[in-house]
Amino acid sequence: MFAIVRTGGKQYRVAAGDKIAVEKLAGEAGDTITLGDILLAGEGDSLADAAAVTVSAEIIAQAKSEKVIVFKKRRRHNYRRKNGHRQQMTLLRILSVA
């Protein structure tokens, strides 16, 4: 069975056993959470009632994503700024979609 969940403003297609990286969620490694905003659920070609489906996940780790370089430049004005940013993320293992 699969479900489409929304967390952190993004949508993810998940099934039992999947690993996904989402925007930072509260909790420590090893905690179990329930993903609440379920948009669609089904199995194969048939769709199920999304209101009756629950998705539980285990937090694997709290980590940072890849570094994004922000470089600003204005031509002929000797203006250059280089900045880096690493977004906080949470690694999840989907335990069950029921």
Side-chain angles (χ1 to χ4, degrees):
M1 183 166 214
F2 74 93
I4 298 188
V5 297
R6 179 171 43 202
T7 178
K10 299 175 186 69
Q11 298 174 9
Y12 302 91
R13 183 188 189 277
V14 297
D18 288 352
K19 293 180 185 177
I20 58 172
V22 299
E23 296 286 325
K24 184 167 170 60
L25 298 172
E28 298 294 323
D31 291 351
T32 302
I33 60 170
T34 302
L35 299 176
D37 196 3
I38 300 169
L39 305 175
L40 183 77
E43 188 162 358
D45 292 339
S46 62
L47 296 179
D49 183 20
V53 173
T54 59
V55 176
S56 63
E58 176 189 7
I59 296 177
I60 297 172
Q62 301 284 6
K64 289 185 177 182
S65 63
E66 305 246 340
K67 182 174 269 194
V68 176
I69 302 297
V70 180
F71 185 74
K72 299 178 181 181
K73 179 181 177 179
R74 294 200 181 141
R75 295 189 321 167
R76 298 182 294 273
H77 289 281
N78 197 26
Y79 175 83
R80 290 185 296 274
R81 302 290 183 267
K82 184 177 179 183
N83 204 344
H85 176 75
R86 292 184 72 187
Q87 188 71 25
Q88 297 279 339
M89 67 177 191
T90 302
L91 298 173
L92 296 177
R93 178 183 297 117
I94 306 300
L95 298 175
S96 67
V97 177

